[in-house]
Amino acid sequence: SSEVLEAIEKVIEDVLKSLAQKKAPVLTVAKRSDWRNVKFTASVGLQMVPRCTTKQIRSDCPRSASKFARMLKILSMIYRMVQSNTYATKRDIYYSDTLLFGSQLVVDNIINDISCMLKIPRRSLHILSTVNGFVAGNLSYTEEDGTKVNCTCGATAVTVPSNVQGIKNLISHAKFMLIVEKDATFQRLLDDDFCNRMSPCIMITGKGIPDLNTRLFVRKLWDSFQIPIFTLMDADPHGVEIMCIYKYGSVSMSFEAHHLTVPSIKWLGLLPSDLERLNIHKDVLIPFTKQDQNKLASLQKRPYIAYQPMWKKELEIMAASKLKAEIQVLTSLSSHYLSRVYLPNKLQFGGWI
């Protein structure tokens, strides 16, 4: 906490020095969404380069003055929370001054900018994210406040903990972890008792693009158990991108890559080549939109795809067919095909890449 307070004090000192010299105060932040500020290493994923390009948030420029004010407001809130050892959600911060912030997205971006600027992980800023993820399976742990959590597969899942760093006493006999893209598929596998049917496992879903906590949790489980992690995604560019976020991270959060990525993650399904192999009828596949084509073209240029020749091949199959498929397409073969045929065969015979 003293590190956070010192870092904020340094920023405010610089603002006061500028004012004393009758200069307009300026905040300097990294260009987090710029691919030129990111390097790729197979062992970590996408990392921000040490000397990245920056932009200035000026207090005397009409275009950036409001962002300058918003950043100071949030810095002051963080400072008070760290001092008093209290916490707030990103939603709380937005509602503290909706007129100043304008939208939740503005708040989310500023919090990430501040975390990057101070070089302090977001969870140390006493700001809690809204948790979307669910976990189920052979896992138990104790939360920071002493609450014991048992995720043993039933019909309901457990919400991913809001303070991943604080959990302890993690126990599991799981043989593997399965990250499921969509909540509907996750629930279907829960209903089919998938976690216990084949061998004990842990299942996680971020319900689409994973939030920070879900990614931190996947990394924590990997550090704790070192068991294989597989992903089950739609056979479309969006699903592939979500899988890449878990495996290699995202450009905008590349400054936190070491805590968020698990480069050993494997792509279990749904593979574009599976659609041909299983004779999935073209009638149940979905034609690409222009957006899909653009997303796929962008993915094919990403630095990590060059390290994954098998992935490259699958993306080429997708590009050639211009068709995509949701995991639910397997129900066209039989209602329990996913949990009783597709996944057991893949896991038993090594059908991942």
Side-chain angles (χ1 to χ4, degrees), residues 15-154:
V15 168
L16 292 173
K17 270 182 200 164
S18 297
L19 290 170
Q21 293 163 5
K22 297 198 166 36
K23 288 181 188 166
V26 168
L27 297 174
T28 304
V29 297
K31 291 183 178 176
R32 290 186 300 108
S33 298
D34 192 332
W35 276 91
R36 290 168 299 182
N37 283 338
V38 171
K39 66 173 181 178
F40 171 75
T41 54
S43 60
V44 177
L46 300 173
Q47 286 175 279
M48 186 169 273
V49 295
R51 288 185 182 83
C52 60
T53 56
T54 57
K55 58 184 175 185
Q56 290 195 327
I57 313 298
R58 299 190 62 85
S59 58
D60 62 345
C61 168
R63 276 193 317 170
S64 62
S66 56
K67 182 166 183 179
F68 183 90
R70 289 168 185 146
M71 286 186 78
L72 284 192
K73 168 80 172 174
I74 293 176
L75 280 166
S76 72
M77 291 175 83
I78 293 167
Y79 194 86
R80 279 200 301 274
M81 288 189 296
V82 173
Q83 270 189 323
S84 59
N85 197 27
T86 54
Y87 289 80
T89 65
K90 293 190 294 183
R91 206 97 185 106
D92 294 334
I93 289 173
Y94 167 61
Y95 279 113
S96 72
D97 198 333
T98 53
L99 277 177
L100 174 65
F101 296 124
S103 78
Q104 184 68 56
L105 188 63
V106 166
V107 171
D108 297 355
N109 278 325
I110 287 175
I111 290 165
N112 288 337
D113 278 339
I114 286 173
S115 174
C116 185
M117 177 177 76
L118 300 179
K119 293 183 171 52
I120 287 169
R122 199 171 80 186
R123 59 199 167 279
S124 301
L125 302 178
H126 284 229
I127 296 170
L128 304 172
S129 308
T130 312
V131 180
N132 291 325
F134 284 125
V135 57
N138 193 295
L139 174 69
S140 63
Y141 56 85
T142 307
E143 292 198 333
E144 195 180 29
D145 64 359
T147 308
K148 287 184 167 56
V149 178
N150 187 354
C151 306
T152 306
C153 252

Side-chain angles (χ1 to χ4, degrees), residues 147-332:
T147 308
K148 287 184 167 56
V149 178
N150 187 354
C151 306
T152 306
C153 252
T156 55
V158 173
T159 308
V160 165
S162 58
N163 181 2
V164 173
Q165 296 312 107
I167 63 173
K168 51 189 183 290
N169 306 331
L170 287 95
I171 300 166
S172 177
H173 304 291
K175 298 285 182 270
F176 64 91
M177 247 189 286
L178 182 67
I179 298 171
V180 183
E181 178 186 349
K182 284 180 176 165
D183 188 34
T185 308
F186 179 86
Q187 293 299 336
R188 182 67 196 260
L189 290 171
L190 263 188
D191 294 343
D192 280 357
D193 197 27
F194 176 76
C195 295
N196 301 314
R197 186 180 290 280
M198 203 177 130
S199 60
C201 73
I202 299 167
M203 272 199 325
I204 289 177
T205 181
K207 298 203 282 188
I209 296 169
D211 57 67
L212 192 74
N213 270 39
T214 304
R215 290 168 64 189
L216 281 168
F217 192 54
V218 169
R219 176 61 196 245
K220 176 95 170 180
L221 294 176
W222 161 248
D223 287 338
S224 303
F225 305 121
Q226 302 277 307
I227 52 177
I229 305 181
F230 303 106
T231 59
L232 180 62
M233 306 279 152
D234 288 342
D236 66 11
H238 190 64
V240 175
E241 178 156 65
I242 288 170
M243 173 172 56
C244 292
I245 289 171
Y246 283 108
K247 187 175 173 75
Y248 292 130
S250 59
V251 179
S252 63
M253 292 298 288
S254 60
F255 65 96
E256 274 228 54
H258 284 280
H259 310 288
L260 295 172
T261 61
V262 185
S264 61
I265 282 172
K266 303 282 188 287
W267 186 3
L268 186 72
L270 189 59
L271 302 178
S273 59
D274 289 340
L275 305 175
E276 213 168 277
R277 186 175 58 82
L278 298 171
N279 291 321
I280 302 287
H281 206 277
K282 289 236 164 81
D283 291 356
V284 292
L285 302 179
I286 307 159
F288 262 24
T289 62
K290 185 77 182 122
Q291 198 180 4
D292 292 325
Q293 284 178 314
N294 293 341
K295 175 67 74 186
L296 182 56
S298 156
L299 280 167
Q300 287 175 306
K301 289 180 197 144
R302 304 267 170 98
Y304 40 69
I305 298 300
Y307 280 76
Q308 298 284 351
M310 300 289 279
W311 286 30
K312 195 166 178 251
K313 219 173 262 184
E314 293 293 334
L315 296 185
E316 283 163 6
I317 292 169
M318 207 189 283
S321 73
K322 291 191 171 60
L323 293 168
K324 58 183 180 176
E326 296 185 329
I327 298 159
Q328 287 88 329
V329 80
L330 296 175
T331 55
S332 66

